[in-house]
Amino acid sequence: MAAILSAAATMTCRTAGFTLSKQQPRPAWKGLTRLASAVSPPPASPSAEGKEAGENSSIYAQEAEALANLNSEFLKTMRDRGFLHQCTGIVELDRRMNEGCISAYLGFDATADSLHVGSLLQIMILRHLQKSGHKPIVLVGGGTSKVGDPTGKDESRVMLTEEIIQKNTAGISKVFEKFIEFGDSKPTDAIMVNNDDWLSSLKYLDFLREYGTQFTINRMMSFESVKQRLDREAPFSFLEFNYMILQAYDFLELYRRHNAILQLGGSDQWGNMVSGTELGRRCEGAQLFALTAPLITKSDGTKMGKTAGGAIWLNADKLSEYDYWQFWRNTSDEDVIRFLKLFTELDLDAIAKLETLEGSDINQAKVVLADEATAMLHGRDCLPQIHETIQNMFKGAGENTDSLPRIYVSAADIEGEGKRFADLFLELGLASSKKDARRLIAGGGAKLGESKIESEMATLTADDFDGKTEVVLRAGKKRAGVVELQ
């Protein structure tokens, strides 16, 4: 079965653990045709990474009988909720997972100091894996981050220093404990490993002699990530070309160290993941599996995780609970049911009832999505404050600003000509750049309290506080932030 991961399957060995939660009953399999239509766009054929997907290349068409007869809790969840895209040996994987606990891994490169919503699908897969009685391995790509994943990139990634990689690794690691349980007392306890532990100590000539013969340039050139770069006549460095070899080697190393037999990832990693299963077979005689999830886009074709205001970060110090809730509340009508299945643990029967809502009633489903997704990341304790802020802000009650993003200014900052509103919108995260902030003001969407900010050059001064210690800046109807005077 193919692995479910969408970052890069590269992480190494630092332990932690988790406890198994009770698994709620899963709804019965409702039908392959309906599910296939829900998992946008048609999956690529599992047989060859570089081939275009044909009309019947979907796993739901190719493996219809196998999917209908799945027994393992995890694979049924992947199927029923729309996580499944490609898979190697799905029948045998189903048997292995039904017999007992297996170890599976998913990799995240340390390219930023926080993950964003685009990585949430993979984290949810790890959560389902653990709740189904299996052991998640979170692989942090401290080593592969020194190379850079070329997948989907038109140009080489910026080279990161050792210090930045270490900082980013620490930043992305803390979010996982909110979704899976780490420890060392139960077979299903999750562990976190870092592939820098083995990649940085490799001896180049020894590695080439032992593993270089297992990869052919012919096969590597057929990978879609390589072909796209070459078709665009964009430079493709030898450093990046090695990434797929290192990712495959990670799988072999994790099998040897932790008996990991399943790699999870995104469909854009399919070729690299299959290479890992083949390397395990050739070097160890092991049957390894790869399982991918579809790359999630919104109904308008844009990627998950990014908005006009910037990335939707998972770390609270980079994005407030309120803004995170608003991101989900602003989901389109076309996406809300699909996102409820993927990004919440709401029972499928309950989701089916929400699917019957029409017109403005669909907003009820969006609130449920926002509540459930926010509670999973930040805890349910933050929801009453968010609801109160929403109620007050948009229905005319006295405003409670506690859950809004907040920045601070000094009296010196607002003396004389004051501080430009464009800069303040940028600092609050209500604009992604100064240009975006000026565009917001010019379009009439920027307000100080309830007063429209008329000029792109307008500034916040001491007079605007009018004896108060804070003012509210608004970006459109649903986003706001606080500037507090210290």
Side-chain angles (χ1 to χ4, degrees), residues 81 83 117-122 124 179 296 304 328 338-346 369 372-374 376:
R81 300 189 80 97
F83 287 97
V117 163
S119 298
L120 189 57
L121 184 80
Q122 287 71 46
M124 288 298 297
F179 292 86
I296 301 300
M304 282 288 293
W328 293 108
R338 182 164 57 112
F339 288 179
L340 279 165
K341 293 177 182 178
L342 294 173
F343 299 110
T344 80
E345 292 179 315
L346 201 64
L369 170 63
E372 294 300 314
T374 303
M376 193 171 294

PDB file of all heavy atoms in Angstrom, residues 81 83 117-122 124 179 296 304 328 338-346 369 372-374 376:
ATOM      1  N   ARG A  81     -12.779   8.387   4.543  1.00  0.00           N
ATOM      2  CA  ARG A  81     -12.699   9.827   4.775  1.00  0.00           C
ATOM      3  C   ARG A  81     -11.974  10.572   3.659  1.00  0.00           C
ATOM      4  O   ARG A  81     -11.853  11.789   3.699  1.00  0.00           O
ATOM      5  CB  ARG A  81     -12.041  10.113   6.133  1.00  0.00           C
ATOM      6  CG  ARG A  81     -12.798   9.513   7.315  1.00  0.00           C
ATOM      7  CD  ARG A  81     -12.248   9.986   8.655  1.00  0.00           C
ATOM      8  NE  ARG A  81     -12.733  11.309   9.005  1.00  0.00           N
ATOM      9  CZ  ARG A  81     -13.757  11.563   9.806  1.00  0.00           C
ATOM     10  NH1 ARG A  81     -14.450  10.563  10.343  1.00  0.00           N
ATOM     11  NH2 ARG A  81     -14.110  12.808  10.078  1.00  0.00           N
ATOM     12  N   PHE A  83      -8.690  10.026   2.395  1.00  0.00           N
ATOM     13  CA  PHE A  83      -7.249  10.224   2.520  1.00  0.00           C
ATOM     14  C   PHE A  83      -6.445   9.425   1.493  1.00  0.00           C
ATOM     15  O   PHE A  83      -5.260   9.680   1.318  1.00  0.00           O
ATOM     16  CB  PHE A  83      -6.765   9.795   3.912  1.00  0.00           C
ATOM     17  CG  PHE A  83      -7.134  10.719   5.022  1.00  0.00           C
ATOM     18  CD1 PHE A  83      -8.250  10.473   5.814  1.00  0.00           C
ATOM     19  CD2 PHE A  83      -6.366  11.834   5.301  1.00  0.00           C
ATOM     20  CE1 PHE A  83      -8.590  11.325   6.862  1.00  0.00           C
ATOM     21  CE2 PHE A  83      -6.692  12.686   6.346  1.00  0.00           C
ATOM     22  CZ  PHE A  83      -7.813  12.431   7.122  1.00  0.00           C
ATOM     23  N   VAL A 117      -1.064  24.834   7.627  1.00  0.00           N
ATOM     24  CA  VAL A 117      -2.228  23.981   7.395  1.00  0.00           C
ATOM     25  C   VAL A 117      -1.991  22.992   6.258  1.00  0.00           C
ATOM     26  O   VAL A 117      -2.590  21.918   6.240  1.00  0.00           O
ATOM     27  CB  VAL A 117      -3.474  24.860   7.126  1.00  0.00           C
ATOM     28  CG1 VAL A 117      -4.589  24.066   6.484  1.00  0.00           C
ATOM     29  CG2 VAL A 117      -3.976  25.459   8.436  1.00  0.00           C
ATOM     30  N   GLY A 118      -1.103  23.337   5.323  1.00  0.00           N
ATOM     31  CA  GLY A 118      -0.802  22.414   4.239  1.00  0.00           C
ATOM     32  C   GLY A 118      -0.235  21.093   4.712  1.00  0.00           C
ATOM     33  O   GLY A 118      -0.319  20.086   4.003  1.00  0.00           O
ATOM     34  N   SER A 119       0.350  21.053   5.913  1.00  0.00           N
ATOM     35  CA  SER A 119       0.895  19.818   6.486  1.00  0.00           C
ATOM     36  C   SER A 119      -0.109  19.100   7.374  1.00  0.00           C
ATOM     37  O   SER A 119       0.173  17.995   7.852  1.00  0.00           O
ATOM     38  CB  SER A 119       2.153  20.133   7.313  1.00  0.00           C
ATOM     39  OG  SER A 119       3.164  20.699   6.508  1.00  0.00           O
ATOM     40  N   LEU A 120      -1.258  19.714   7.616  1.00  0.00           N
ATOM     41  CA  LEU A 120      -2.203  19.153   8.579  1.00  0.00           C
ATOM     42  C   LEU A 120      -2.781  17.825   8.112  1.00  0.00           C
ATOM     43  O   LEU A 120      -3.072  16.947   8.931  1.00  0.00           O
ATOM     44  CB  LEU A 120      -3.328  20.162   8.845  1.00  0.00           C
ATOM     45  CG  LEU A 120      -4.287  19.816   9.983  1.00  0.00           C
ATOM     46  CD1 LEU A 120      -3.544  19.624  11.298  1.00  0.00           C
ATOM     47  CD2 LEU A 120      -5.342  20.916  10.140  1.00  0.00           C
ATOM     48  N   LEU A 121      -2.963  17.641   6.811  1.00  0.00           N
ATOM     49  CA  LEU A 121      -3.500  16.374   6.314  1.00  0.00           C
ATOM     50  C   LEU A 121      -2.607  15.221   6.748  1.00  0.00           C
ATOM     51  O   LEU A 121      -3.097  14.182   7.209  1.00  0.00           O
ATOM     52  CB  LEU A 121      -3.610  16.419   4.798  1.00  0.00           C
ATOM     53  CG  LEU A 121      -4.243  15.176   4.157  1.00  0.00           C
ATOM     54  CD1 LEU A 121      -5.762  15.241   4.272  1.00  0.00           C
ATOM     55  CD2 LEU A 121      -3.842  15.038   2.699  1.00  0.00           C
ATOM     56  N   GLN A 122      -1.284  15.388   6.624  1.00  0.00           N
ATOM     57  CA  GLN A 122      -0.366  14.321   7.006  1.00  0.00           C
ATOM     58  C   GLN A 122      -0.383  14.072   8.512  1.00  0.00           C
ATOM     59  O   GLN A 122      -0.285  12.934   8.964  1.00  0.00           O
ATOM     60  CB  GLN A 122       1.054  14.676   6.548  1.00  0.00           C
ATOM     61  CG  GLN A 122       1.273  14.565   5.052  1.00  0.00           C
ATOM     62  CD  GLN A 122       0.556  15.654   4.285  1.00  0.00           C
ATOM     63  OE1 GLN A 122       0.626  16.828   4.658  1.00  0.00           O
ATOM     64  NE2 GLN A 122      -0.119  15.283   3.226  1.00  0.00           N
ATOM     65  N   MET A 124      -2.931  14.518  10.464  1.00  0.00           N
ATOM     66  CA  MET A 124      -4.186  13.806  10.746  1.00  0.00           C
ATOM     67  C   MET A 124      -4.047  12.322  10.404  1.00  0.00           C
ATOM     68  O   MET A 124      -4.606  11.458  11.098  1.00  0.00           O
ATOM     69  CB  MET A 124      -5.333  14.421   9.956  1.00  0.00           C
ATOM     70  CG  MET A 124      -5.786  15.784  10.434  1.00  0.00           C
ATOM     71  SD  MET A 124      -6.416  15.778  12.132  1.00  0.00           S
ATOM     72  CE  MET A 124      -7.852  14.698  11.962  1.00  0.00           C
ATOM     73  N   PHE A 179      -1.419  16.270  18.530  1.00  0.00           N
ATOM     74  CA  PHE A 179      -2.216  15.366  17.710  1.00  0.00           C
ATOM     75  C   PHE A 179      -1.950  13.894  17.995  1.00  0.00           C
ATOM     76  O   PHE A 179      -2.828  13.060  17.816  1.00  0.00           O
ATOM     77  CB  PHE A 179      -1.961  15.642  16.222  1.00  0.00           C
ATOM     78  CG  PHE A 179      -2.490  16.964  15.754  1.00  0.00           C
ATOM     79  CD1 PHE A 179      -1.734  18.122  15.869  1.00  0.00           C
ATOM     80  CD2 PHE A 179      -3.761  17.064  15.219  1.00  0.00           C
ATOM     81  CE1 PHE A 179      -2.222  19.354  15.440  1.00  0.00           C
ATOM     82  CE2 PHE A 179      -4.262  18.286  14.787  1.00  0.00           C
ATOM     83  CZ  PHE A 179      -3.490  19.427  14.905  1.00  0.00           C
ATOM     84  N   ILE A 296      -4.058  18.293  -1.366  1.00  0.00           N
ATOM     85  CA  ILE A 296      -5.333  18.965  -1.154  1.00  0.00           C
ATOM     86  C   ILE A 296      -5.283  20.397  -1.675  1.00  0.00           C
ATOM     87  O   ILE A 296      -4.412  21.191  -1.287  1.00  0.00           O
ATOM     88  CB  ILE A 296      -5.717  18.972   0.334  1.00  0.00           C
ATOM     89  CG1 ILE A 296      -5.801  17.532   0.851  1.00  0.00           C
ATOM     90  CG2 ILE A 296      -7.051  19.683   0.541  1.00  0.00           C
ATOM     91  CD1 ILE A 296      -6.824  16.671   0.150  1.00  0.00           C
ATOM     92  N   MET A 304      -3.853  24.541  -0.116  1.00  0.00           N
ATOM     93  CA  MET A 304      -4.168  24.674   1.299  1.00  0.00           C
ATOM     94  C   MET A 304      -2.983  25.299   2.027  1.00  0.00           C
ATOM     95  O   MET A 304      -1.831  25.069   1.675  1.00  0.00           O
ATOM     96  CB  MET A 304      -4.436  23.297   1.910  1.00  0.00           C
ATOM     97  CG  MET A 304      -5.788  22.728   1.608  1.00  0.00           C
ATOM     98  SD  MET A 304      -7.104  23.582   2.517  1.00  0.00           S
ATOM     99  CE  MET A 304      -6.724  23.100   4.200  1.00  0.00           C
ATOM    100  N   TRP A 328     -10.867  28.543   8.980  1.00  0.00           N
ATOM    101  CA  TRP A 328     -11.773  27.418   8.730  1.00  0.00           C
ATOM    102  C   TRP A 328     -13.204  27.906   8.525  1.00  0.00           C
ATOM    103  O   TRP A 328     -13.938  27.366   7.696  1.00  0.00           O
ATOM    104  CB  TRP A 328     -11.697  26.421   9.875  1.00  0.00           C
ATOM    105  CG  TRP A 328     -10.370  25.738   9.965  1.00  0.00           C
ATOM    106  CD1 TRP A 328      -9.400  25.932  10.909  1.00  0.00           C
ATOM    107  CD2 TRP A 328      -9.846  24.765   9.061  1.00  0.00           C
ATOM    108  NE1 TRP A 328      -8.307  25.146  10.653  1.00  0.00           N
ATOM    109  CE2 TRP A 328      -8.551  24.415   9.522  1.00  0.00           C
ATOM    110  CE3 TRP A 328     -10.328  24.160   7.909  1.00  0.00           C
ATOM    111  CZ2 TRP A 328      -7.758  23.476   8.864  1.00  0.00           C
ATOM    112  CZ3 TRP A 328      -9.547  23.226   7.254  1.00  0.00           C
ATOM    113  CH2 TRP A 328      -8.273  22.888   7.726  1.00  0.00           C
ATOM    114  N   ARG A 338     -15.946  18.107   2.578  1.00  0.00           N
ATOM    115  CA  ARG A 338     -14.677  17.403   2.371  1.00  0.00           C
ATOM    116  C   ARG A 338     -13.698  17.706   3.506  1.00  0.00           C
ATOM    117  O   ARG A 338     -13.012  16.803   4.020  1.00  0.00           O
ATOM    118  CB  ARG A 338     -14.081  17.826   1.029  1.00  0.00           C
ATOM    119  CG  ARG A 338     -12.781  17.122   0.656  1.00  0.00           C
ATOM    120  CD  ARG A 338     -12.463  17.300  -0.815  1.00  0.00           C
ATOM    121  NE  ARG A 338     -12.373  18.711  -1.175  1.00  0.00           N
ATOM    122  CZ  ARG A 338     -11.230  19.309  -1.534  1.00  0.00           C
ATOM    123  NH1 ARG A 338     -10.108  18.624  -1.566  1.00  0.00           N
ATOM    124  NH2 ARG A 338     -11.215  20.582  -1.864  1.00  0.00           N
ATOM    125  N   PHE A 339     -13.635  18.962   3.930  1.00  0.00           N
ATOM    126  CA  PHE A 339     -12.708  19.333   4.994  1.00  0.00           C
ATOM    127  C   PHE A 339     -13.146  18.778   6.347  1.00  0.00           C
ATOM    128  O   PHE A 339     -12.303  18.471   7.196  1.00  0.00           O
ATOM    129  CB  PHE A 339     -12.558  20.850   5.049  1.00  0.00           C
ATOM    130  CG  PHE A 339     -11.766  21.428   3.894  1.00  0.00           C
ATOM    131  CD1 PHE A 339     -11.569  22.795   3.797  1.00  0.00           C
ATOM    132  CD2 PHE A 339     -11.231  20.617   2.911  1.00  0.00           C
ATOM    133  CE1 PHE A 339     -10.851  23.334   2.738  1.00  0.00           C
ATOM    134  CE2 PHE A 339     -10.508  21.138   1.840  1.00  0.00           C
ATOM    135  CZ  PHE A 339     -10.320  22.502   1.756  1.00  0.00           C
ATOM    136  N   LEU A 340     -14.436  18.651   6.571  1.00  0.00           N
ATOM    137  CA  LEU A 340     -14.911  18.025   7.806  1.00  0.00           C
ATOM    138  C   LEU A 340     -14.426  16.578   7.902  1.00  0.00           C
ATOM    139  O   LEU A 340     -14.070  16.093   8.981  1.00  0.00           O
ATOM    140  CB  LEU A 340     -16.437  18.070   7.879  1.00  0.00           C
ATOM    141  CG  LEU A 340     -17.054  19.387   8.346  1.00  0.00           C
ATOM    142  CD1 LEU A 340     -18.543  19.424   8.022  1.00  0.00           C
ATOM    143  CD2 LEU A 340     -16.844  19.599   9.850  1.00  0.00           C
ATOM    144  N   LYS A 341     -14.397  15.880   6.776  1.00  0.00           N
ATOM    145  CA  LYS A 341     -13.939  14.496   6.761  1.00  0.00           C
ATOM    146  C   LYS A 341     -12.430  14.405   6.986  1.00  0.00           C
ATOM    147  O   LYS A 341     -11.948  13.506   7.677  1.00  0.00           O
ATOM    148  CB  LYS A 341     -14.295  13.829   5.426  1.00  0.00           C
ATOM    149  CG  LYS A 341     -15.786  13.637   5.205  1.00  0.00           C
ATOM    150  CD  LYS A 341     -16.056  13.036   3.828  1.00  0.00           C
ATOM    151  CE  LYS A 341     -17.556  12.880   3.585  1.00  0.00           C
ATOM    152  NZ  LYS A 341     -17.839  12.330   2.229  1.00  0.00           N
ATOM    153  N   LEU A 342     -11.690  15.341   6.413  1.00  0.00           N
ATOM    154  CA  LEU A 342     -10.234  15.272   6.458  1.00  0.00           C
ATOM    155  C   LEU A 342      -9.631  15.880   7.716  1.00  0.00           C
ATOM    156  O   LEU A 342      -8.655  15.357   8.256  1.00  0.00           O
ATOM    157  CB  LEU A 342      -9.645  15.977   5.230  1.00  0.00           C
ATOM    158  CG  LEU A 342      -9.923  15.341   3.867  1.00  0.00           C
ATOM    159  CD1 LEU A 342      -9.430  16.252   2.747  1.00  0.00           C
ATOM    160  CD2 LEU A 342      -9.278  13.973   3.758  1.00  0.00           C
ATOM    161  N   PHE A 343     -10.202  16.983   8.205  1.00  0.00           N
ATOM    162  CA  PHE A 343      -9.522  17.765   9.240  1.00  0.00           C
ATOM    163  C   PHE A 343     -10.234  17.762  10.591  1.00  0.00           C
ATOM    164  O   PHE A 343      -9.837  18.512  11.484  1.00  0.00           O
ATOM    165  CB  PHE A 343      -9.332  19.199   8.737  1.00  0.00           C
ATOM    166  CG  PHE A 343      -8.497  19.280   7.494  1.00  0.00           C
ATOM    167  CD1 PHE A 343      -9.058  19.637   6.271  1.00  0.00           C
ATOM    168  CD2 PHE A 343      -7.146  18.972   7.524  1.00  0.00           C
ATOM    169  CE1 PHE A 343      -8.296  19.698   5.117  1.00  0.00           C
ATOM    170  CE2 PHE A 343      -6.375  19.031   6.366  1.00  0.00           C
ATOM    171  CZ  PHE A 343      -6.949  19.391   5.163  1.00  0.00           C
ATOM    172  N   THR A 344     -11.272  16.951  10.736  1.00  0.00           N
ATOM    173  CA  THR A 344     -11.906  16.760  12.040  1.00  0.00           C
ATOM    174  C   THR A 344     -12.113  15.270  12.255  1.00  0.00           C
ATOM    175  O   THR A 344     -11.910  14.460  11.343  1.00  0.00           O
ATOM    176  CB  THR A 344     -13.269  17.467  12.150  1.00  0.00           C
ATOM    177  OG1 THR A 344     -14.290  16.674  11.496  1.00  0.00           O
ATOM    178  CG2 THR A 344     -13.229  18.855  11.532  1.00  0.00           C
ATOM    179  N   GLU A 345     -12.511  14.906  13.468  1.00  0.00           N
ATOM    180  CA  GLU A 345     -12.851  13.521  13.756  1.00  0.00           C
ATOM    181  C   GLU A 345     -14.352  13.348  13.960  1.00  0.00           C
ATOM    182  O   GLU A 345     -14.802  12.368  14.542  1.00  0.00           O
ATOM    183  CB  GLU A 345     -12.086  13.050  14.993  1.00  0.00           C
ATOM    184  CG  GLU A 345     -10.598  12.942  14.760  1.00  0.00           C
ATOM    185  CD  GLU A 345      -9.827  12.496  15.985  1.00  0.00           C
ATOM    186  OE1 GLU A 345     -10.095  13.012  17.086  1.00  0.00           O
ATOM    187  OE2 GLU A 345      -8.944  11.632  15.837  1.00  0.00           O
ATOM    188  N   LEU A 346     -15.097  14.295  13.449  1.00  0.00           N
ATOM    189  CA  LEU A 346     -16.548  14.198  13.522  1.00  0.00           C
ATOM    190  C   LEU A 346     -17.001  12.920  12.834  1.00  0.00           C
ATOM    191  O   LEU A 346     -16.517  12.574  11.756  1.00  0.00           O
ATOM    192  CB  LEU A 346     -17.169  15.416  12.857  1.00  0.00           C
ATOM    193  CG  LEU A 346     -18.607  15.781  13.234  1.00  0.00           C
ATOM    194  CD1 LEU A 346     -18.692  16.160  14.705  1.00  0.00           C
ATOM    195  CD2 LEU A 346     -19.092  16.934  12.368  1.00  0.00           C
ATOM    196  N   LEU A 369     -16.923  23.014  11.547  1.00  0.00           N
ATOM    197  CA  LEU A 369     -15.572  22.771  11.056  1.00  0.00           C
ATOM    198  C   LEU A 369     -14.560  23.634  11.795  1.00  0.00           C
ATOM    199  O   LEU A 369     -13.517  23.140  12.258  1.00  0.00           O
ATOM    200  CB  LEU A 369     -15.511  23.066   9.553  1.00  0.00           C
ATOM    201  CG  LEU A 369     -14.116  23.087   8.904  1.00  0.00           C
ATOM    202  CD1 LEU A 369     -13.451  21.723   9.011  1.00  0.00           C
ATOM    203  CD2 LEU A 369     -14.220  23.531   7.436  1.00  0.00           C
ATOM    204  N   GLU A 372     -14.209  22.416  15.519  1.00  0.00           N
ATOM    205  CA  GLU A 372     -13.541  21.121  15.679  1.00  0.00           C
ATOM    206  C   GLU A 372     -12.068  21.198  15.306  1.00  0.00           C
ATOM    207  O   GLU A 372     -11.210  20.641  15.996  1.00  0.00           O
ATOM    208  CB  GLU A 372     -14.253  20.061  14.837  1.00  0.00           C
ATOM    209  CG  GLU A 372     -15.670  19.752  15.286  1.00  0.00           C
ATOM    210  CD  GLU A 372     -15.738  19.239  16.708  1.00  0.00           C
ATOM    211  OE1 GLU A 372     -14.914  18.359  17.053  1.00  0.00           O
ATOM    212  OE2 GLU A 372     -16.597  19.726  17.473  1.00  0.00           O
ATOM    213  N   ALA A 373     -11.758  21.891  14.217  1.00  0.00           N
ATOM    214  CA  ALA A 373     -10.359  22.002  13.799  1.00  0.00           C
ATOM    215  C   ALA A 373      -9.546  22.824  14.800  1.00  0.00           C
ATOM    216  O   ALA A 373      -8.410  22.472  15.126  1.00  0.00           O
ATOM    217  CB  ALA A 373     -10.280  22.626  12.408  1.00  0.00           C
ATOM    218  N   THR A 374     -10.133  23.909  15.300  1.00  0.00           N
ATOM    219  CA  THR A 374      -9.428  24.756  16.266  1.00  0.00           C
ATOM    220  C   THR A 374      -9.247  24.045  17.592  1.00  0.00           C
ATOM    221  O   THR A 374      -8.182  24.129  18.225  1.00  0.00           O
ATOM    222  CB  THR A 374     -10.190  26.079  16.464  1.00  0.00           C
ATOM    223  OG1 THR A 374     -10.348  26.735  15.208  1.00  0.00           O
ATOM    224  CG2 THR A 374      -9.441  27.006  17.415  1.00  0.00           C
ATOM    225  N   MET A 376      -8.926  20.892  18.108  1.00  0.00           N
ATOM    226  CA  MET A 376      -7.917  19.842  17.986  1.00  0.00           C
ATOM    227  C   MET A 376      -6.512  20.411  18.116  1.00  0.00           C
ATOM    228  O   MET A 376      -5.631  19.803  18.721  1.00  0.00           O
ATOM    229  CB  MET A 376      -8.075  19.120  16.655  1.00  0.00           C
ATOM    230  CG  MET A 376      -7.296  17.825  16.571  1.00  0.00           C
ATOM    231  SD  MET A 376      -7.702  16.865  15.095  1.00  0.00           S
ATOM    232  CE  MET A 376      -9.407  16.448  15.438  1.00  0.00           C
TER     233      MET A 376
END
